[in-house]
Amino acid sequence: MDQLLEYDFETIVTGHMSLYGTPEDVQTNREYIRDLRTSAAEAVRTVDLKEAAANVPGNNRQAELKVWMDAVVARAAELMPSWEKRLGGTDIFLTDNLNATAWSVFIDQVAAVDWLHTSST
């Protein structure tokens, strides 16, 4: 979005439902995404996998990750500042947005660890 804001434009058409926006709308969305990412990153960092998945059989890694991610999203939602007065739909799409963002943060961290591991060998 930073690169998009470098352009001189008055109207942008993106996303769903043929809605148009202004440079101010792009800035607002950029701030919202930053808040999503900050909250998700903190939750990924602080929600303990073993604690969150304590009731999941240890031989079901997929279920452990699912239960953990649900706990991450719940914690991230608690950390998110309110956006309901600034951006429509955040009340109904917050957990979906946080889920996608938290998985992105998690995957980025795993990729970074893998990269560090393979580049040092």
Side-chain angles (χ1 to χ4, degrees):
M1 289 191 185
D2 292 336
Q3 186 177 2
L4 182 62
L5 288 169
E6 292 176 10
Y7 292 99
D8 182 23
F9 67 95
E10 293 178 18
T11 304
I12 186 169
V13 179
T14 66
H16 306 283
M17 302 186 296
S18 300
L19 297 175
Y20 66 91
T22 65
E24 292 79 22
D25 294 324
V26 174
Q27 291 171 348
T28 298
N29 277 282
R30 178 181 60 186
E31 291 173 34
Y32 178 65
I33 291 169
R34 285 182 180 161
D35 280 351
L36 287 170
R37 195 150 185 90
T38 298
S39 298
E42 177 66 11
V44 165
R45 187 181 70 75
T46 59
V47 174
D48 184 69
L49 172 64
K50 290 182 182 186
E51 184 179 320
N55 295 325
V56 177
N59 63 347
N60 192 343
R61 185 74 173 145
Q62 289 81 8
E64 287 179 330
L65 285 173
K66 167 71 169 99
V67 169
W68 172 73
M69 187 54 73
D70 289 347
V72 166
V73 169
R75 178 65 183 133
E78 293 170 355
L79 296 170
M80 271 295 285
S82 176
W83 273 86
E84 291 181 23
K85 293 182 180 177
R86 293 188 63 198
L87 191 61
T90 59
D91 54 337
I92 57 173
F93 292 109
L94 179 62
T95 56
D96 293 334
N97 291 333
L98 283 169
N99 186 60
T101 305
W103 277 112
S104 174
V105 167
F106 174 69
I107 290 166
D108 289 348
Q109 290 178 357
V110 169
V113 168
D114 287 347
W115 179 82
L116 286 171
H117 176 70
T118 57
S119 66
S120 66
T121 56

